[in-house]
Amino acid sequence: MGTGESSPGSSDNTDASTSTLPRSRSESLTAAIPVKQKWKFYLRPDDDDQPQDWWFCSTAIPLLAATTGPLANVMSIAALVTSWRNNYDPANPGIDADSIGFPDPRWCLGLNGASLACGFAGNIFLLFNFTRRIRYIVALPVTIILWYFATGILIAITASMDEYVPPHRPEQTYSQGFWHAVIAAILYLVSSMILMLNMLGYFLGHYPQHFELSDDQRNLILQTMMFFFWLAGGAAVFAKVEGWSYVDSLYFCDVTVLTVGFGDFYPTNDVGRGLVFPYSVGGIIILGLMVSSIRGFAQELGSTHVVKSHVEKQRTHTLQRTATTDFEYEALKAHALAKLRHKSPVPISESFDLTKRTINFDVEKAIAASPHESHQKNPKVGPVTASLRVLRRVGSRQPKILLMRQEKDRFDAMRKIQYDTHKFKRYSALTMSFIAFGLLWCVGAVGFWGAESKSQGLSYFEALYFCYVSLLTIGYGDLSPKSNAGKPLFIVWSLIAVPTMTILISDMGDTVIASFKRGTFKLADWTVLPKAGLWRELLEKYPWLLLWLQKKSQKAAEKRRLAAGMPVGPEEDGMDPAPTMEQVSELDNLDDQALAGKLAIAIRHTANHLKDDPPRIYCYEEWAEYTRLIRFSRLSKEEIEEAEEEQGIVEWDWIGEDSPMIADSTESEWVLDRLCESLNRYMRKQGMGVSAGDKPKDV
C-alpha cells in the first residue's frame, strides 16, 4: 500500500479518497484558470481588465522605443545637415579631424530628408499612442511601418553612395554625417523590431490594446524628448556661435552635458563661454531627472515582476513543504485521539514513509470520527475542505500555547522569505547594473578599438582605458575620439553608458557602500564615538548572559524596595512592547473593558511606530496580541475560541496569499488600520447598549 497498490481485502474508498485529495484541488485550480492556447490570435478589447503577462513586452519595450526613437531622429538630423564625403587636407593626409566636406548628390539629400520625415512621423504616432489620441491598433502599426521606411531609405542611400559615388581613396573618406546615417538606420531598425514584439504579445492576447503607463513612466518619455531637444538645439546654437560643423557641435554638447570634458573642443569666444553657463546647468538637470526616472522605472519593473515572482516562488515552495508536513502530523494526531475517545480510528495506511512525505487515509471516515461535522452544516463544503477542517479541529484541542508555537514556525518561515527577498532585491539590481556596465565597457572598447586604430593606432587596452575614463566622467583628455566614425559612436555609446554608470553607483549605495557605512559606524561605536545602548545590543546576542544580569538586577531592585518599605514584585505596565506567548494566552481571561484599555494603548504604540525608519517589524507574539485585540470587538468569547480552533490564533496563513507580510503597506499601517476598526466597532457596540461578550447585529 505504501507503493500505491491496494490489497485484495481493502475497500476502494480508501484509494479513491487518497487519490481524490490532491486531484480535486488541481482540478479546481485548472477549472478556475482559463487555459490560453499558444500561438493563437486573440485580440483583447481596450477595457479588458483580465490578468496580463509578457510584462517586458507590454511595458519595457514601448518605453525603450520611446527613448531610442528621438535619439535616431537626432542622428538623422546630423546626417541630413552634414555632407557624407570629405576631402583630406593635403598638409595632414589621413587625419579625419582636418578633412573638409564637399556637396552630396541631390538625390541623396532628398531621400535623406524623406527618411527624417518618416522618422519624425513615426515618433509622433507613437506619442499619440501613449496619450491615447489614436487607437493602438492604428498608431503602432503606422509607427512600425514609418520607421521601417526610414530604415530602408537610409540603407538604400548608404548602399547607393558606396556603389555609385564613393569617396576616392586615399584623398577622400566618409564623413561623420555618413556614420550618423548608419547609426540612425540601426536605431530605427531596432526600434521597429522590438515594437513588433509588442504587437505580437497583443495579437496573442497577453495584454489589451493600450499602454498602462504610470506618472513616472510618462515623465520619463517627456524628459527623454526634452533632453534630445536640448542636445540638438544646443548643437545648432554652438555651431552658429563657434563656426563649427553641426556634428562637431553635437559632439561638444554631448561631452559638456555628460561632464566628461576631454578638452578637444571648447568655446573660443565670450559668447560661447557665456552660453555654457545656462546650457550646461540645464542639460545636467534634465539628464539627472532622466537618469532618476530610468532607475525608478527599472526598480518598478523589478519590484512588480522580478521580485514578486521571487517572493511567490519562495512562498509557494515553503507552503507546499510545510503543508505536507502539517498534513501528516494532523492525520496521525487525529488517529491517536480517535482511539482515546474509543471511536473508530481514522484508517491510516500500513506504510508511512517520512522520506516521501505521503500518507493514505479515508476522508469520509475521518469526518465521521470527528464530533464536529462541518461538512454537514454546510453542504457546499467539499470533502477536501471538510477533511482539512476536521484535522484542524481535532488537533486544536491541545493547549493554546502549543498552537501558538506551531504557528510561530510558519511566521518565522515567512520572515526568512522577507529577509531573503530584501537581500535578493538589492543584490539582483546591483548584479544587473554591473553586468550592463561590464558589457558597455568591454563591447564599447571593441568599437573604439576598431574606429580609432587607423587614426590613432589605438590598442584594445588603450580603448579599455579610454572607455573607463569616459564612464567615470574623468576625461583626462589624453585620449579622445578623432576619427569620423569614432565621434558618432561616442555620442550614442556615452548617452547609454554614463547613465548606466550612474545607476550602478546608486545601486552600490544600497549594498556595498551601505555595508561599508555600517562598518564605519560600528567601528566608531566601539572606539571614539560610543553610543548609548551598545552593551545592551551585545548582551541580547547572548541571552544566557542577559538573563543572568537581569535576575541580578531584579534581586537588587527588590532589596532596595524592601528597604524603602515598598512591596516586592514587578511594576505594572500598560502593555509590554514585546509580550511572551504566555502573556498573549492570558488575554482570554480579560473582559471586554480590560481589552478595550489594551486596545487604546496598542493604537498609541502603533501610531508611534509609523515614525520608525526603517519601518517597524513586529514579532509573532505582538501579531498574536494585536489579532486578539482586533477580534474581541467583533466576536464573542465562544466565537473567538471557535475561530481559533478553525483558523488558528490569527485569521490568515503567514505563508498564504492573504498574509499581511506581503501586503503593499507597512506592518504598522496594516495593524493600525485594523486596530482602529476594532475600536470603532467597540464604541458602536457600547453606544447601542450591547452587553459584553455579545456581537452587535449590524457588524
Side-chain angles (χ1 to χ4, degrees):
M1 295 184 62
T3 60
E5 298 176 0
S6 59
S7 61
S10 63
S11 63
D12 295 334
N13 294 334
T14 301
D15 293 337
S17 62
T18 304
S19 59
T20 303
L21 189 60
R23 185 184 300 120
S24 59
R25 182 179 182 182
S26 62
E27 288 176 354
S28 62
L29 291 175
T30 305
I33 301 176
V35 179
K36 184 185 298 181
Q37 298 183 7
K38 294 183 178 180
W39 306 112
K40 183 178 180 181
F41 286 174
Y42 169 64
L43 305 183
R44 294 168 59 170
D46 185 69
D47 57 350
D48 191 346
D49 58 351
Q50 295 299 317
Q52 304 180 18
D53 50 8
W54 281 29
W55 58 268
F56 186 82
C57 290
S58 63
T59 306
I61 281 181
L63 290 178
L64 183 61
T67 304
T68 56
L71 178 58
N73 292 155
V74 174
M75 295 290 106
S76 186
I77 292 174
L80 177 62
V81 301
T82 308
S83 60
W84 286 19
R85 297 167 298 173
N86 282 3
N87 288 317
Y88 282 122
D89 187 355
N92 297 310
I95 305 300
D96 290 350
D98 297 329
S99 60
I100 302 174
F102 59 91
D104 294 325
R106 287 192 175 184
W107 57 266
C108 179
L109 294 176
L111 291 176
N112 206 344
S115 173
L116 178 60
C118 290
F120 267 122
N123 260 326
I124 292 174
F125 274 95
L126 183 62
L127 181 61
F128 285 163
N129 190 9
F130 284 133
T131 57
R132 299 194 183 184
R133 302 293 182 182
I134 302 179
R135 292 179 57 196
Y136 172 92
I137 198 62
V138 175
L140 198 65
V142 171
T143 299
I144 294 173
I145 293 173
L146 288 174
W147 280 354
Y148 269 128
F149 276 149
T151 303
I153 293 173
L154 288 176
I155 292 176
I157 299 174
T158 53
S160 300
M161 177 75 72
D162 190 67
E163 178 68 23
Y164 298 106
V165 284
H168 300 289
R169 308 284 185 175
E171 294 84 6
Q172 297 177 347
T173 185
Y174 283 117
S175 69
Q176 295 185 49
F178 175 83
W179 295 109
H180 276 87
V182 172
I183 295 175
I186 295 173
L187 292 175
Y188 282 135
L189 179 63
V190 172
S191 302
S192 302
M193 294 176 66
I194 61 177
L195 284 181
M196 289 187 67
L197 291 177
N198 178 268
M199 285 206 66
L200 177 63
Y202 163 65
F203 284 136
L204 296 179
H206 292 282
Y207 37 81
Q209 53 171 313
H210 60 79
F211 296 129
E212 292 290 347
L213 299 180
S214 62
D215 292 338
D216 293 336
Q217 294 168 1
R218 296 179 188 275
N219 289 336
L220 175 58
I221 296 174
L222 178 61
Q223 291 161 3
T224 302
M225 293 182 176
M226 289 178 57
F227 177 78
F228 287 118
F229 177 79
W230 190 266
L231 192 67
V237 173
F238 280 103
K240 183 68 175 179
V241 171
E242 295 292 337
W244 298 328
S245 65
Y246 182 81
V247 288
D248 286 338
S249 182
L250 184 64
Y251 166 77
F252 164 77
C253 292
D254 176 73
V255 171
T256 301
V257 171
L258 296 179
T259 68
V260 178
F262 290 124
D264 49 353
F265 283 86
Y266 50 87
T268 58
N269 55 60
D270 292 341
V271 177
R273 295 187 184 103
L275 288 174
V276 167
F277 296 153
Y279 182 78
S280 59
V281 172
I284 292 172
I285 290 175
I286 298 174
L287 178 65
L289 292 174
M290 188 174 67
V291 171
S292 177
S293 297
I294 291 174
R295 184 174 186 269
F297 171 64
Q299 288 182 336
E300 181 181 354
L301 282 182
S303 300
T304 305
H305 302 285
V306 179
V307 176
K308 285 189 176 180
S309 176
H310 175 78
V311 172
E312 185 64 21
K313 182 179 179 181
Q314 295 293 324
R315 189 187 63 81
T316 304
H317 175 73
T318 305
L319 184 62
Q320 291 175 348
R321 175 168 50 83
T322 56
T324 304
T325 305
D326 293 343
F327 188 71
E328 298 165 359
Y329 177 77
E330 297 292 342
L332 287 175
K333 186 164 55 181
H335 179 77
L337 291 177
K339 283 186 175 181
L340 292 176
R341 290 195 300 267
H342 302 288
K343 293 180 178 287
S344 57
V346 179
I348 302 179
S349 64
E350 298 176 358
S351 174
F352 183 75
D353 191 353
L354 289 176
T355 60
K356 294 182 179 180
R357 302 292 185 185
T358 56
I359 183 170
N360 297 328
F361 67 98
D362 194 329
V363 176
E364 300 298 334
K365 292 184 179 181
I367 297 174
S370 173
H372 303 279
E373 297 184 359
S374 58
H375 63 293
Q376 294 181 1
K377 297 179 182 179
N378 186 3
K380 296 183 180 180
V381 176
V384 176
T385 305
S387 62
L388 292 177
R389 288 184 179 179
V390 166
L391 293 177
R392 181 178 288 275
R393 286 172 177 266
V394 172
S396 63
R397 296 186 178 278
Q398 56 184 317
K400 183 177 180 179
I401 189 68
L402 297 182
L403 289 177
M404 294 177 63
R405 288 172 180 169
Q406 289 180 8
E407 284 192 355
K408 190 175 186 299
D409 293 337
R410 301 175 72 83
F411 176 86
D412 294 337
M414 192 62 198
R415 274 282 181 249
K416 185 177 184 303
I417 293 176
Q418 278 187 317
Y419 173 77
D420 294 342
T421 301
H422 181 65
K423 190 175 180 180
F424 170 81
K425 180 180 179 179
R426 291 183 299 165
Y427 284 94
S428 62
L430 177 63
T431 302
M432 295 301 298
S433 299
F434 188 79
I435 291 174
F437 167 79
L439 289 175
L440 288 170
W441 183 21
C442 298
V443 176
V446 173
F448 289 111
W449 179 32
E452 300 292 335
S453 59
K454 182 180 179 181
S455 60
Q456 301 187 62
L458 202 69
S459 65
Y460 181 70
F461 178 76
E462 291 174 330
L464 279 175
Y465 164 78
F466 164 74
C467 289
Y468 186 79
V469 171
S470 302
L471 277 169
L472 296 180
T473 66
I474 297 174
Y476 290 123
D478 52 343
L479 292 177
S480 61
K482 303 295 185 184
S483 66
N484 290 336
K487 290 179 181 178
L489 176 62
F490 180 81
I491 293 174
V492 177
W493 176 83
S494 61
L495 290 175
I496 301 173
V498 173
T500 301
M501 182 65 195
T502 306
I503 295 174
L504 173 62
I505 295 175
S506 179
D507 290 335
M508 290 179 65
D510 298 335
T511 52
V512 180
I513 299 176
S515 300
F516 181 78
K517 185 178 179 180
R518 288 193 299 268
T520 304
F521 286 159
K522 185 67 68 176
L523 180 63
D525 292 339
W526 288 95
T527 54
V528 295
L529 298 172
K531 68 176 182 179
L534 177 64
W535 298 105
R536 173 78 180 192
E537 295 178 0
L538 177 64
L539 292 175
E540 287 178 349
K541 295 181 180 180
Y542 302 96
W544 62 272
L545 182 59
L546 177 61
L547 182 62
W548 181 76
L549 291 176
Q550 286 177 341
K551 289 182 178 180
K552 296 284 290 183
S553 177
Q554 289 176 0
K555 290 181 180 179
E558 290 173 2
K559 291 180 180 179
R560 288 194 299 268
R561 286 196 295 269
L562 280 175
M566 297 188 68
V568 179
E571 297 180 355
E572 295 183 357
D573 191 8
M575 171 177 282
D576 191 347
T580 62
M581 289 187 181
E582 290 77 8
Q583 291 174 332
V584 176
S585 61
E586 290 174 358
L587 291 176
D588 295 337
N589 301 327
L590 301 179
D591 56 9
D592 285 1
Q593 186 175 2
L595 289 174
K598 292 275 188 180
L599 176 61
I601 298 175
I603 291 176
R604 184 187 66 186
H605 288 177
T606 310
N608 291 331
H609 296 161
L610 296 177
K611 307 174 185 177
D612 294 349
D613 186 22
R616 178 67 176 261
I617 296 177
Y618 298 115
C619 63
Y620 171 78
E621 290 78 9
E622 289 174 311
W623 275 106
E625 185 172 23
Y626 289 144
T627 304
R628 184 63 178 84
L629 296 177
I630 293 171
R631 276 179 170 175
F632 90 96
S633 62
R634 179 164 48 89
L635 304 173
S636 63
K637 286 189 176 182
E638 293 76 10
E639 290 173 331
I640 291 177
E641 292 178 359
E642 183 179 354
E644 289 180 350
E645 289 180 358
E646 279 197 20
Q647 303 173 2
I649 305 301
V650 295
E651 299 177 340
W652 54 82
D653 185 2
W654 292 112
I655 317 178
E657 296 180 356
D658 57 345
S659 173
M661 290 187 177
I662 59 177
D664 294 332
S665 58
T666 63
E667 295 186 9
S668 299
E669 293 173 344
W670 195 96
V671 170
L672 182 61
D673 184 47
R674 270 65 180 181
L675 290 176
C676 291
E677 290 178 358
S678 179
L679 179 61
N680 184 31
R681 288 193 299 266
Y682 177 77
M683 297 302 295
R684 292 174 59 192
K685 183 169 63 175
Q686 296 300 316
M688 289 184 296
V690 181
S691 60
D694 294 334
K695 181 175 63 175
K697 296 180 180 180
D698 60 338
V699 177

